[in-house]
Amino acid sequence: MGQKSGLEQLDQNVLLRTELAVPTVHACFLPRNRLTTQLDKAAAGDVTLISAPAGFGKTTLAARWARQRKGRVAWLSLDEGDNDLGRFWQYVLAALQTAAVRLARLPCLSQIS
């Protein structure tokens, strides 16, 4: 048997901090004031979805908005390796915890023993 690569050896229970961190936005990108204002308004709701084709700047817009926002933001970057329901929910819960969300207060989780 050959040796496993570092990624293959990675325990499935280990969560990568990079997937929970808001990406850095370089200063050379132009501010999108109209769109960040729309995000501010949308933040009053429970969930906000940003939808656009690949390469249209969704991550850059959301990262800049998250870094400027005074409120709490839970950030989660997913890739093909996270295409597992259990792993996905581990990351969702970890992202919420980084935003200081008290999970015990969520009705759907308070019943889990």
Side-chain angles (χ1 to χ4, degrees), residues 12 19 78-84 87 91:
Q12 289 298 311
E19 295 199 14
L78 297 171
D79 55 38
E80 290 179 17
D82 302 318
N83 194 16
D84 171 78
R87 188 154 179 80
Y91 269 113

Side-chain angles (χ1 to χ4, degrees), residues 3 12 15 21 25-26 40 44 46-47 57 61 63 69 71 74 92 95 99 109:
Q3 264 191 318
Q12 289 298 311
L15 300 181
V25 179
H26 298 284
D40 284 335
D46 293 331
V47 175
L61 171 68
R69 185 164 166 75
V92 169
L109 294 177

Side-chain angles (χ1 to χ4, degrees), residues 2-108:
Q3 264 191 318
K4 291 184 177 182
S5 73
L7 288 177
E8 291 173 331
Q9 293 175 4
L10 185 63
D11 183 352
Q12 289 298 311
N13 293 325
V14 173
L15 300 181
L16 302 175
R17 287 185 189 187
T18 55
E19 295 199 14
L20 301 171
V22 177
T24 303
V25 179
H26 298 284
C28 64
F29 289 107
L30 295 174
R32 306 287 304 268
N33 295 332
R34 181 182 60 83
L35 294 175
T36 53
T37 299
Q38 287 180 330
L39 284 175
D40 284 335
K41 290 177 184 176
D46 293 331
V47 175
T48 301
L49 173 67
I50 302 172
S51 178
F56 273 60
K58 298 177 296 293
T59 300
T60 302
L61 171 68
R64 176 169 278 175
W65 175 80
R67 289 188 175 277
Q68 293 173 346
R69 185 164 166 75
K70 294 178 182 166
R72 298 178 300 198
V73 173
W75 187 274
L76 177 55
S77 299
L78 297 171
D79 55 38
E80 290 179 17
D82 302 318
N83 194 16
D84 171 78
L85 191 57
R87 188 154 179 80
F88 168 77
W89 284 111
Q90 282 182 310
Y91 269 113
V92 169
L93 294 175
L96 291 171
Q97 288 174 335
T98 64
V101 173
R102 292 182 179 214
L103 298 178
R105 297 174 117 187
L106 295 175
C108 61

